[in-house]
Amino acid sequence: MSTEPRPPHAELRIGMVGHAFMGAAHSQAWRSAHRFFDLPLRPVMRVLGGRDQQRVDEAAERLGWESTETDWRRLVERDDVDLVDICTPGDTHTEIALAALAAGKHVLCEKPLANTVADAETLAAAAEEAATRGVLTMVGFTYRRVPAIALARQLVAEGRIGTVHQVRAQYLQDWIVDPTVPLSWRLQKEKAGSGALGDIGAHIIDMVQFVTGDAIASVSGHLQTFVSERPIAASSTAGSLGGGGTTTETGPVTVDDAAVFIATFASGALGVFEATRFATGRKNAIRIEVNGSRGSLAFDFEDMNVLHFHDATEPEATAGFRRILVTEPTHPYVEAWWPAGHGLGYEHGFTHQVVDLVRAVAAGDPPTPSFSDGLQVQRVLDAVETSSHTRTWQETTA
Ligand code: SOE
């Protein structure tokens, strides 16, 4: 065995801003991606950003970051950071991402890309300019990288369900049905942009457009707020998904609790969408069904290792939905993990996101979904909101 020291593996040094739920999910991905997948660059968790020194230090210790900053501006300027990962509420995405791109850092930005179409346009333009300098960007629509969803995309692209005619998509949660759940940032328009629509509706818009390879062209929607006043959280750190103490004061909920819309696609296909935080008993159900001329696909995140496939070209006598357990090494992303049948979870989508991003950065190839893809989703969200306010159909084009 050679006694020569091994050359250091080339590194990709990460600076991440935000350390709540998404920060923890992203940290897990940065920690584990290169331990399961063969990556051309080894992610180094260089610095974690957060506003409060004690809290960010504790989070860095727990999540595995080497150092901390309490000012994101210092973090994006640091010479020992190559990529900035933005895991903060939507109202901060634009400023942080623009500063990071200007500083020559690659950017991974949580979804939705921004709170407004105007901001998303600014970001998409900045990303395009940055790409000319070899600086790359990606939006965190992580569910694309659930193996069953990646397989669904493959089957549609291979023509296995023929021409897509109809799609129905639901994202169902119930974490704010209780009216005493505090008024977190996710329920404030100036911070979150919108409610169920942007937070979880954005995911099903991206997933459906990804699986079908088609774009939503027009929408007719309705937004509803069921609980319009909620107790104010005892501290700004009160759980973003409902936990934490409250004060006796209340404040207005300024976003939707539920959003529904019907959509036409560029191809002429038709879609029905529903995003809600009031589906009592549904915790994180993401249900997507795609019907084509030669077959159908159906997925539910509450059974995320499974894809249902109906091949309508099979003889009638034996045709029917078959349950594919998407855990074979031949299925997307699965080979790097466990033996068939052992299954993956929510966190693996984030790991796959890191894997694809690191490979793209190493190759100098633009990753997907791009900021332009994020902008397109933002246009759909905006069209749904305008449709709800004006009671009219809206086009999603610029
Ligand atoms: C909260 O509704 C939330 O955490 C979303 O913000 C995430 O994007 C989704 O993955 C789970 O639910």
Side-chain angles (χ1 to χ4, degrees), residues 21 111 143 171 173 175 186 199-200 203 241 284 346:
F21 176 23
K111 46 49 63 175
Y143 292 116
Y171 198 145
Q173 296 183 339
W175 58 278
R186 287 180 197 270
D199 184 30
I200 52 179
H203 277 304
L241 288 183
N284 205 49
Y346 175 66

